[in-house]
Amino acid sequence: MVAAPQKIIISGYYGFRNSGDEAVLQSILIALQKHSLATGIAIDPVVLSIDPEWTTATYGVKSVHRMKLGEVRNAIAGSAGLISGGGSLLQDVTGSKSIPYYLGIIKLAQWMGKPTFIYAQGIGPVNRKLFHPLIKSVFRKCSYISVRDEQSRELLQSMGLDWNKIEVVPDPVMGLSLPEDQVPSSKGALSPSAVQTVGISVRFWEQSRGELDAITEGLLKACKQTPLHLRFLPFHHSSDNEASRYIMQKLENEISQYGGVVSICEDALHPQQMLREVGECDVLIGMRLHSLIYAAGRRVPLIGISYDPKIDHFLERVGCQPIGTTSSLDSGKLTAEVLQLLSAADEWKLEREPRIASLVQEAEAPARQIVEYFRRKG
């Protein structure tokens, strides 16, 4: 007799068309499927999404509207457990509503007697101290906790959680790979074969736009020394599209006279499409965390610009440092780093291969642990 599939609810920042968060979901789904097949435990994922129809169409899984409490409650009631993550769900930098929402979903599952699992989350910053005891109260009842960096574990420990019960794992997206039948990107058709491609993932952050102006100046200086294809890769539609075009408008007229090309990829809504785009770059400049993770996973030399500690934490894991912060970015330093990495890409890859390969291998650890939990219970 074949056991019925284990219905698992997945809660995160899904359905918002943010390529990084969608990549987290795709990575979790692939890892769960892989380990469920390996153990013979059937997993039936149900994703909480702001756009359930789009999520179902994109990933081929069941989905429930994350803001319709009745639907969420019914889904959890009929489930075998709940996964919260990954991503930066428990932080109060972008507002005070995120932490209560995600904790509330976990708590609801716990009230119903369902096992709950924290999947490779980046915890913090949590500046409102009133949230600390709430996080501790919910997390101490979780069946499994994993975080994506040591700093997240230290923060949870400072809240009173047991250090030994928190596993540090890579971001799930480190394990994301390309399907065999992925359609090639349009980048090659736009770029002369002799011209190297610099991928650029930017977002609005500083009110002054000073960081975007510094990136513009740095790219222009680099193009004056060697023709480049500047390929803008918006990770969060449509705000990142606007940030990209802010720079493009300042560059386009001048770049062409130096033999360069400027383009933007606006149709890569599926994570694996964007992963392919990043993989075809020779160097990537990234403000978005997952643009840097994509680059590392595809062995593309990367340049990180920090606006949040999560950028610094990831760069440290791959043996890099940010070229600067959004509040202090030197265009000349950026130019020098772009040219250096373009000329010494093989050395960069060789030096970091052991670290990156290890992160890729470890990225599936939470899925393995969760599937094993249900195997033991079965």
Side-chain angles (χ1 to χ4, degrees):
M1 181 176 172
V2 179
Q6 301 281 353
K7 185 184 288 185
I8 309 295
I9 310 300
I10 304 178
S11 168
Y13 190 73
Y14 304 132
F16 290 90
R17 313 294 209 280
N18 182 321
S19 184
D21 290 286
E22 298 303 330
V24 167
L25 175 58
Q26 178 75 88
S27 303
I28 291 173
L29 292 172
I30 290 172
L32 286 172
Q33 182 184 41
K34 175 180 173 180
H35 290 284
S36 66
L37 288 173
T39 58
I41 304 295
I43 299 291
D44 183 16
V46 179
V47 178
L48 304 186
S49 169
I50 197 68
D51 189 343
E53 292 79 13
W54 182 81
T55 295
T56 294
T58 303
Y59 304 105
V61 296
K62 296 171 188 170
S63 184
V64 168
H65 199 293
R66 58 179 259 149
M67 301 308 292
K68 294 183 178 178
L69 185 57
E71 293 183 16
V72 172
R73 187 191 298 115
N74 290 337
I76 295 174
S79 76
L82 178 133
I83 290 171
S84 179
S88 303
L89 306 182
L90 299 180
Q91 50 79 28
D92 59 4
V93 175
T94 58
S96 60
K97 296 179 181 178
S98 181
I99 292 176
Y101 172 80
Y102 291 110
L103 287 182
I105 296 294
I106 301 169
K107 191 66 182 174
L108 181 59
Q110 292 174 348
W111 277 336
M112 293 183 180
K114 308 297 181 181
T116 52
F117 310 92
I118 306 302
Y119 199 120
Q121 287 200 28
I123 311 296
V126 184
N127 297 313
R128 296 167 176 86
K129 300 299 184 196
L130 65 94
F131 287 139
H132 287 204
L134 296 176
I135 293 171
K136 177 187 175 183
S137 172
V138 171
F139 271 43
R140 61 190 289 270
K141 294 177 182 173
C142 289
S143 300
Y144 170 74
I145 301 171
S146 59
V147 295
R148 71 182 178 199
D149 51 57
E150 197 63 51
Q151 292 79 5
S152 293
R153 178 157 73 171
E154 289 170 0
L155 179 56
L156 290 177
Q157 186 193 24
S158 75
M159 296 177 188
L161 288 157
D162 186 347
W163 173 280
N164 295 313
K165 293 183 179 177
I166 305 165
E167 185 174 14
V168 179
V169 298
D171 188 286
V173 179
M174 282 302 304
L176 187 62
S177 58
L178 288 172
E180 304 259 330
D181 59 349
Q182 181 82 52
V183 177
S185 78
S186 57
K187 166 241 168 184
L190 296 165
S191 180
S193 58
V195 174
Q196 292 177 292
T197 299
V198 177
I200 304 135
S201 166
V202 291
R203 61 172 298 165
F204 288 130
W205 193 255
E206 301 291 335
Q207 289 289 332
S208 67
R209 307 290 183 244
E211 79 281 27
L212 300 184
D213 293 336
I215 292 169
T216 304
E217 191 176 337
L219 290 171
L220 188 56
K221 289 176 183 174
C223 285
K224 287 179 179 178
Q225 297 192 46
T226 183
L228 295 172
H229 176 191
L230 304 180
R231 180 72 164 157
F232 285 84
L233 305 172
F235 268 64
H236 195 167
H237 301 269
S238 60
S239 61
D240 288 7
N241 302 57
E242 294 173 20
S244 298
R245 292 195 177 280
Y246 174 89
I247 296 178
M248 291 174 68
Q249 288 167 5
K250 292 172 175 286
L251 283 174
E252 280 173 323
N253 292 336
E254 291 196 64
I255 290 298
S256 58
Q257 66 182 297
Y258 300 113
V261 180
V262 180
S263 67
I264 185 170
C265 171
E266 295 188 288
D267 56 356
L269 295 179
H270 192 285
Q272 288 167 311
Q273 291 176 302
M274 185 61 88
L275 183 66
R276 186 177 190 90
E277 288 282 344
V278 170
E280 293 188 2
C281 296
D282 296 293
V283 166
L284 181 121
I285 300 169
M287 288 177 66
R288 288 285 185 188
L289 172 64
H290 284 97
S291 70
L292 301 171
I293 293 174
Y294 279 21
R298 303 309 295 168
R299 279 47 168 196
V300 173
L302 55 90
I303 301 170
I305 298 168
S306 179
Y307 71 93
D308 184 281
K310 65 186 180 184
I311 303 292
D312 307 68
H313 299 162
F314 174 72
L315 292 173
E316 184 181 341
R317 294 193 81 172
V318 293
C320 297
Q321 292 183 334
I323 194 71
T325 66
T326 54
S327 60
S328 178
L329 183 59
D330 184 313
S331 62
K333 197 173 175 183
L334 180 64
T335 301
E337 187 71 3
V338 168
L339 297 174
Q340 161 65 17
L341 289 180
L342 287 172
S343 65
D346 290 341
E347 291 91 327
W348 188 96
K349 295 173 190 177
L350 190 63
E351 182 182 342
R352 286 163 182 81
E353 179 57 30
R355 288 176 184 246
I356 294 174
S358 177
L359 292 175
V360 170
Q361 187 176 18
E362 295 166 17
E364 294 178 358
R368 188 167 55 247
Q369 294 277 10
I370 292 166
V371 171
E372 178 62 22
Y373 173 93
F374 288 108
R375 189 192 68 77
R376 291 196 308 268
K377 291 291 181 182

